Amino acid sequence: MAHDHSANKPKRILSGVKPTGKAHIGNYLGAMRNHVNMQQDHENFIFIADLHSLTTVKNKAELQELIIDLALDYLALGLNPERAVFFRQSDIPEHAELTWVLSCLTPMPMLELAHAYKDAVAKANREINVGLFTYPILMAVDILIYKPDIVPVGKDQKQHVEIARDLAGKFNRIYGDVFKLPVPYIPEEVAVVIGTDGQKMSKSYGNTIEIFASDKALKKQVMGIVTDSTPVEAPKDPDTIYKLYSYFATEDEKKTLLERYQAGGMGYGDAKKLLLEKIIETFKPFREERERLRNDLAYVKDVLKKGAEKAREVAAATKNEVWEKTGLSI
Ligand code: ADP
Ligand code: TRP
């Protein structure tokens, strides 16, 4: 349902992605593509979560490049600054300010149970900083400050949206209604996109297929998909290659690959070639657009600046309400 018919007003969506590395098929299908597609019949707020990147990225030039890269990615994929408010989190000081207020309502155990934090502790190959621990509070503010109806994200972010809802409810109960309780939007077929090793595709697992990589790099990634040792002649079950192919192929193309798998005689090498062609064909126009935009960084920076101005109006209004309710405005 795209519209709130009672008010006949488009629903507001909000989402963001951290600039922490090269965008991959999981990010694209699980998040970015939905953000772009939803802009037609929703009111969109899409942002670059650069404050979140500081939990892991500690190099100035690297962070700057990651931010610009992500802006280029979104614009190349079709994000339209006329339809979406596209901005950088760090341009809006209210995010950090409200994070303090919500921190004072957040019980420690709520954060201790968060998956992202537990995973970080379990891996613990690096220092665990307080930012990583309080990350869900900043994310809750990212969402709540814009009062969206819907937050489209991959499944791994569901818990964070639930924390945002809990904190919104708690604030409203204690101080009076300010925040809207948003719902996550997680399309089932792309909730968890698998990577080249068969587990969830993620930058941190090194199992990604990058959407803007060169043909050569893409070939390396696709050829690196882990397969079993079923011989060429033998029938095959639908596997990682088939699943990835399914995201981009038509029903007929999927059926053909499945039949060739079942008949035997189709090697995984051939299936990988088919997948590679499909990926190159799908992303070619986006890659070309990205190259074009790369030569016009002044435009990209201007888009973010104008987006920040619009976002700030909304964020500042919510902050005023919070200051009003809590007693910080006298
Ligand atoms: P990564 O795990 O590679 O670091 P991020 O955490 O930056 O990815 O995720 C950015 C967005 O992409 C989030 O909304 C996340 O839910 C979505 N996403 C990431 N990986 C996948 C995946 N494998 N399947 C579906 N969605 C994903
Ligand atoms: N935590 C999200 C991720 O890892 C990024 C993010 C930050 C976000 N704030 C958000 C997503 C608010 C949706 C809404 O991808």
Side-chain angles (χ1 to χ4, degrees):
M1 255 206 331
H3 291 89
D4 174 3
H5 291 293
S6 55
N8 209 14
K9 226 176 108 199
K11 294 221 190 259
R12 178 175 291 182
I13 73 157
L14 172 127
S15 198
V17 171
K18 287 176 294 186
T20 50
K22 305 250 185 274
H24 54 74
I25 288 179
N27 301 144
Y28 173 70
L29 296 171
M32 299 169 90
R33 183 178 68 172
N34 302 325
H35 304 162
V36 172
N37 287 344
M38 290 173 94
Q39 65 188 343
Q40 283 323 316
D41 45 10
H42 294 79
E43 188 191 8
N44 273 41
F45 282 75
I46 302 296
F47 73 100
I48 296 179
D50 52 1
L51 292 176
H52 286 286
S53 291
L54 282 181
T55 58
T56 52
V57 182
K58 313 287 181 190
N59 178 287
K60 173 180 170 175
E62 187 189 351
L63 184 61
Q64 289 174 327
E65 194 179 320
L66 286 166
I67 292 169
I68 293 292
D69 273 348
L70 186 55
L72 285 170
D73 292 350
Y74 260 118
L75 293 171
L77 289 173
L79 187 138
N80 175 357
E82 303 293 319
R83 294 219 53 99
V85 180
F86 183 44
F87 63 102
R88 270 198 310 143
Q89 184 187 30
S90 61
D91 275 335
I92 318 294
E94 287 82 1
H95 287 237
E97 290 178 298
L98 287 201
T99 295
W100 176 252
V101 177
L102 287 197
S103 297
C104 296
L105 293 181
T106 310
M108 294 280 285
M110 186 188 257
L111 300 183
E112 279 157 1
L113 292 172
H115 297 309
Y117 172 68
K118 286 205 296 193
D119 287 355
V121 173
K123 285 188 208 140
N125 50 7
R126 60 160 190 256
E127 176 183 275
I128 305 287
N129 56 58
V130 175
L132 219 49
F133 183 63
T134 58
Y135 184 116
I137 310 176
L138 178 57
M139 176 156 167
V141 170
D142 297 338
I143 298 171
L144 299 175
I145 204 165
Y146 299 101
K147 303 186 180 177
D149 303 286
I150 306 166
V151 182
V153 280
K155 195 171 173 190
D156 55 352
Q157 297 300 317
K158 186 167 181 239
Q159 190 186 38
H160 290 148
V161 181
E162 280 158 5
I163 291 176
R165 287 173 60 91
D166 287 352
L167 291 177
K170 190 161 179 193
F171 183 97
N172 290 349
R173 276 195 304 281
I174 294 176
Y175 293 110
D177 277 349
V178 169
F179 297 118
K180 197 171 223 174
L181 271 56
V183 292
Y185 169 70
I186 305 169
E188 196 43 51
E189 52 315 337
V190 290
V192 185
V193 174
I194 50 165
T196 54
D197 57 358
Q199 49 168 347
K200 181 198 162 216
M201 188 178 289
S202 171
K203 282 162 239 163
S204 42
Y205 300 148
N207 62 357
T208 63
I209 298 177
E210 294 163 14
I211 60 177
F212 291 110
S214 65
D215 288 359
K216 197 169 157 224
L218 276 175
K219 184 169 179 191
K220 193 157 174 250
Q221 289 166 2
V222 172
M223 292 301 158
I225 293 174
V226 178
T227 51
D228 60 29
S229 52
T230 314
V232 174
E233 326 70 71
K236 295 173 182 62
D237 292 326
D239 62 343
T240 304
I241 309 171
Y242 177 77
K243 283 187 205 150
L244 288 171
Y245 185 71
S246 302
Y247 291 126
F248 303 103
T250 62
E251 286 307 314
D252 278 351
E253 287 169 330
K254 276 159 60 178
K255 202 165 146 250
T256 307
L257 178 58
L258 204 57
E259 279 165 9
R260 289 180 69 189
Y261 260 8
Q262 281 159 354
M266 169 130 195
Y268 288 125
D270 288 338
K272 285 179 182 176
K273 276 193 201 127
L274 215 56
L275 171 63
L276 178 63
E277 276 166 26
K278 196 63 167 170
I279 292 174
I280 291 176
E281 175 194 316
T282 305
F283 291 102
K284 190 161 181 274
F286 300 135
R287 261 165 69 185
E288 287 169 0
E289 177 62 2
R290 198 175 185 286
E291 277 313 303
R292 197 187 66 74
L293 287 163
R294 179 179 275 296
N295 293 316
D296 196 0
L297 290 187
Y299 165 77
V300 175
K301 288 183 185 169
D302 190 54
V303 164
L304 292 173
K305 188 162 161 264
K306 295 208 173 95
E309 283 162 16
K310 291 188 210 154
R312 190 128 195 236
E313 278 177 33
V314 180
T318 308
K319 178 196 156 177
N320 282 343
E321 285 183 69
V322 169
W323 256 232
E324 200 59 49
K325 295 275 191 208
T326 49
L328 290 169
S329 69
I330 53 169

